[in-house]
């Protein structure tokens, strides 16, 4: 068993050195590709750069086997603003599953020299590696969408106020983008929309593309209202005022739903941490009093 662990460690060192060399040559050949893996978490960026060495036909075959999951992954990557090929995610899950299997099994075997425990930790590492990429991307997409929902009412109000001051729609959106921080995801998406309009897309098409990227129901309603107002010749400013109120109401409803989920989320930490501490604080004086009164022998 000890020799197996040593052989596995040597194999891992050799394979790691080869992969590092291939990664270095690939980055040098491509000039670094600083923006190729935009917004990809640092924990996945290294594996994302390694995946082109292994993916290809395998990723495409898995995409054909799971078309619905691939469509869901594509939507999550769009919502998270990650420049990653959706076909690479199944390969990333397989790669991290194998890495977790080897790391958990060999690490436990070298540290504890216990075969059964090493098998258990290898299975745990494989499970964590398999679910980590999809959970990470889904969490990042959800957080980004929530930030967009929080910023939407203010953005619509500001753009509407700028239009009431005499600016047209494009100039009002450009004013909002320049007034916001570069880390604001809604300002980033509006900037992409402006760039598309400069390249020749009309307002409705650019807004629809933005709605497809951020995947927020309230913004879809806003796009439909703006498109309808443009077709019938209604005032966009009044439409934006009404939509701003609707988005503010939707944001309030979202906050209420999150507040309603708080008690169920708090059950686990209460049971694991607060209740044992309460039992210790209450039970220790009672136990000490029983022992001092001579009832300790009876309890034992």
């Amino acid at each position: 068993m000890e020799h197996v662990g040593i052989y596995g460690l040597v194999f891992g060192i050799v394979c790691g050195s080869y992969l590092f060399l291939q990664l270095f040559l690939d980055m040098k050949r491509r000039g670094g590709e600083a923006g190729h893996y935009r917004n990809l978490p640092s924990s996945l960026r290294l594996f994302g750069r390694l995946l082109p060495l292994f993916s290809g036909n395998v990723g495409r075959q898995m995409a054909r086997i799971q078309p619905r999951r691939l469509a869901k992954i594509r939507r999550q990557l769009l919502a998270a603003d990650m420049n990653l090929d959706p076909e690479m995610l199944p390969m990333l899950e397989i790669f991290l599953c194998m890495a977790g299997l080897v790391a958990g099994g060999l690490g436990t075997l070298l540290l504890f020299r216990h075969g059964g425990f090493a098998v258990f930790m290898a299975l745990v590492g494989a499970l964590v590696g398999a679910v980590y990429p999809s959970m990470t991307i889904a969490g990042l997409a959800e957080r980004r969408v929530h930030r967009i929902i929080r910023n939407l009412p203010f953005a619509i109000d500001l753009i509407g106020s700028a239009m009431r001051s005499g600016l047209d729609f494009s100039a009002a959106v450009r004013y909002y983008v320049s007034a916001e921080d570069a880390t604001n995801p809604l300002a980033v998406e509006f900037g992409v929309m402006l760039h598309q309009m400069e390249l020749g897309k009309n307002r409705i098409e650019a807004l629809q593309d933005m709605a497809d990227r951020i995947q927020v129901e309230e913004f879809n309603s806003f796009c439909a209202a703006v498109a309808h107002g443009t077709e019938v010749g209604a005032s966009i400013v009044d439409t934006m005022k009404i939509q701003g109120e609707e988005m503010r109401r939707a944001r309030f409803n979202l906050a209420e739903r999150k507040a309603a989920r708080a008690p169920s989320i708090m059950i686990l930490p209460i049971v694991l941490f607060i209740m044992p501490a309460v039992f210790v604080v209450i039970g220790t004086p009672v136990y000490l009093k029983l022992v001092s009164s001579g009832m300790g022998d009876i309890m034992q």
Side-chain angles (χ1 to χ4, degrees):
M1 190 68 69
E2 183 176 352
H3 293 291
V4 173
I6 295 175
Y7 292 153
L9 183 61
V10 172
F11 177 76
I13 293 174
V14 173
C15 289
S17 302
Y18 169 75
L19 293 177
F20 179 79
L21 180 61
Q22 290 293 329
L23 175 63
F24 176 76
L25 294 176
D26 183 69
M27 290 176 61
K28 187 175 181 180
R29 182 172 60 252
R30 301 188 185 199
E33 288 188 343
H36 186 67
Y37 297 99
R38 184 179 68 247
N39 294 338
L40 195 65
S42 57
S43 57
L44 298 179
R45 191 172 294 121
L46 175 62
F47 298 105
R49 293 183 182 276
L50 287 173
L51 279 181
L53 303 175
F54 303 99
S55 59
N57 293 328
V58 178
R60 287 190 290 270
Q61 289 296 331
M62 295 197 66
R64 293 191 187 97
I65 296 174
Q66 300 175 322
R68 293 184 179 179
R69 186 166 184 267
L70 184 68
K72 181 180 178 181
I73 291 171
R74 183 177 287 107
R75 290 194 300 268
Q76 290 176 345
L77 291 173
L78 278 175
D81 191 28
M82 291 184 182
N83 189 20
L84 183 68
D85 190 351
E87 295 179 356
M88 288 186 178
L89 191 64
M91 278 300 302
L92 182 59
E93 293 174 346
I94 294 174
F95 187 79
L96 289 182
C97 177
M98 296 177 61
L101 181 71
V102 174
L106 286 181
T108 306
L109 189 63
L110 293 175
L111 289 176
F112 299 101
R113 309 290 180 85
H114 192 283
F117 189 53
V119 172
F120 173 75
M121 292 305 297
L123 295 177
V124 171
L127 178 62
V128 172
V131 302
Y132 177 74
S134 57
M135 290 183 62
T136 301
I137 292 174
L140 292 175
E142 184 179 1
R143 285 195 292 271
R144 191 170 185 270
V145 168
H146 284 170
R147 286 190 62 189
I148 290 175
I149 292 175
R150 287 198 302 268
N151 292 325
L152 262 177
F154 172 75
I156 299 303
D157 290 342
L158 182 60
I159 294 173
S161 299
M163 293 181 68
R164 283 192 291 270
S165 300
L167 298 178
D168 62 352
F169 180 77
S170 300
V173 173
R174 189 173 289 105
Y175 172 75
Y176 169 75
V177 172
S178 62
E180 286 295 319
D181 188 22
T183 59
N184 185 352
L186 185 58
V188 173
E189 293 295 340
F190 271 121
V192 174
M193 185 197 74
L194 287 175
H195 183 65
Q196 290 180 344
M197 293 174 65
E198 292 173 355
L199 292 177
K201 283 192 175 182
N202 59 45
R203 180 194 305 165
I204 304 303
E205 291 177 350
L207 280 173
Q208 190 58 52
D209 288 345
M210 180 177 172
D212 293 338
R213 289 194 305 271
I214 64 177
Q215 303 170 38
V216 175
E217 183 178 354
E218 293 78 14
F219 193 80
N220 290 331
S221 302
F222 168 73
C223 292
V226 171
H228 179 72
T230 303
E231 290 177 358
V232 301
S235 174
I236 300 179
V237 177
D238 296 336
T239 302
M240 295 184 70
K241 183 178 179 180
I242 297 172
Q243 289 299 315
E245 295 175 357
E246 292 293 331
M247 291 178 185
R248 195 173 291 105
R249 190 177 298 111
R251 186 179 64 177
F252 181 75
N253 293 335
L254 178 63
E256 282 187 335
R257 289 196 298 270
K258 284 190 172 183
R261 286 169 47 197
S264 59
I265 296 175
M266 287 296 297
I267 290 177
L268 184 62
I270 288 175
V271 172
L272 292 180
F273 303 107
I274 298 178
M275 293 301 294
V278 171
F279 289 149
V280 169
V281 171
I282 295 176
T284 300
V286 175
Y287 176 75
L288 293 176
K289 192 166 225 174
L290 290 175
V291 171
S292 63
S293 63
M295 296 183 64
D297 296 335
I298 299 176
M299 294 179 59
Q300 295 177 354

